[in-house]
Amino acid sequence: MQTDTLHIRPIEQQDNLQMAKIIREVMTAYGAVGDGFSINDPEVDQMYEFYQESGCSYLVLSDGQQVWGGGGIGPLVGAEPGICELKKMYFLPGVRGKGMGQRIVNALIAEAQKLGYQTCYLETLERMTEAKALYLKMGFKKLCGQLGNTGHGGCDSFYSKEIA
């Protein structure tokens, strides 16, 4: 995949089907299915609608015809104000390892700062080695345990970054 044709933009309603397919494909490939995983969240099929809520933003990576992945932020449920969660960040294999994740994370952190967040938190899986490497490279610090109440008991790796 030629990455010079890809651009980042806010999610649109017509992206819902493509993003749901990407999320399900990637999570299944990593064995992240069943109770406790975000593959079961109601927002998966309605990403556009969910991320229209106050304090939320979802960005997609697109070549103008196809969506190749995306990521979002929103308030961390069950946590003190000022903490957002980086969530639902998944990419098709054809764009992985080409700096696209870093571009999306940078754009989402800029959005989070505009929305007044001071800390960005995320949950992932220990076996998602590429994602963990990206988060560490971008200055996220590994935490000993979970923050907030995401409902994702299947996750086993937790990170945060001060962004204010």
Side-chain angles (χ1 to χ4, degrees):
M1 174 61 184
Q2 292 275 346
T3 57
D4 58 347
T5 63
L6 298 174
H7 63 280
I8 296 170
R9 63 167 172 75
I11 193 168
E12 298 171 357
Q13 193 167 29
Q14 63 263 25
D15 300 327
N16 279 347
L17 189 60
Q18 287 184 80
M19 273 315 304
K21 185 175 186 263
I22 291 167
I23 291 167
R24 289 188 174 103
E25 180 180 315
V26 173
M27 293 197 76
T28 300
Y30 282 94
V33 296
D35 290 339
F37 293 105
S38 65
I39 194 171
N40 299 310
D41 291 353
E43 71 198 66
V44 170
D45 290 310
Q46 298 177 332
M47 298 293 284
Y48 170 79
E49 290 79 4
F50 182 84
Y51 285 91
Q52 299 310 300
E53 298 290 325
S54 177
C56 295
S57 178
Y58 198 90
L59 303 173
V60 296
L61 187 63
S62 173
D63 62 10
Q65 303 209 325
Q66 179 179 342
V67 171
W68 289 85
I73 56 161
L76 177 59
V77 175
E80 59 190 63
I83 302 176
C84 70
E85 181 184 9
L86 176 70
K87 50 196 200 170
K88 303 287 189 297
M89 191 168 98
Y90 300 101
F91 299 94
L92 290 172
V95 296
R96 292 186 202 151
K98 299 181 179 184
M100 300 297 103
Q102 189 169 348
R103 284 180 54 197
I104 288 270
V105 171
N106 281 332
L108 288 169
I109 287 174
E111 288 287 317
Q113 290 169 325
K114 285 184 209 169
L115 291 168
Y117 292 111
Q118 292 88 42
T119 304
C120 186
Y121 168 80
L122 66 91
E123 298 177 347
T124 190
L125 299 172
E126 196 62 34
R127 61 186 170 268
M128 291 184 150
T129 54
E130 302 96 333
K132 291 185 332 176
L134 169 67
Y135 301 137
L136 290 171
K137 177 181 176 181
M138 297 196 68
F140 283 82
K141 305 291 184 212
K142 188 163 175 60
L143 302 175
C144 294
Q146 186 177 40
L147 295 181
N149 182 19
T150 64
H152 300 149
C155 291
D156 58 7
S157 255
F158 315 99
Y159 296 82
S160 73
K161 177 179 178 165
E162 298 301 315
I163 59 172

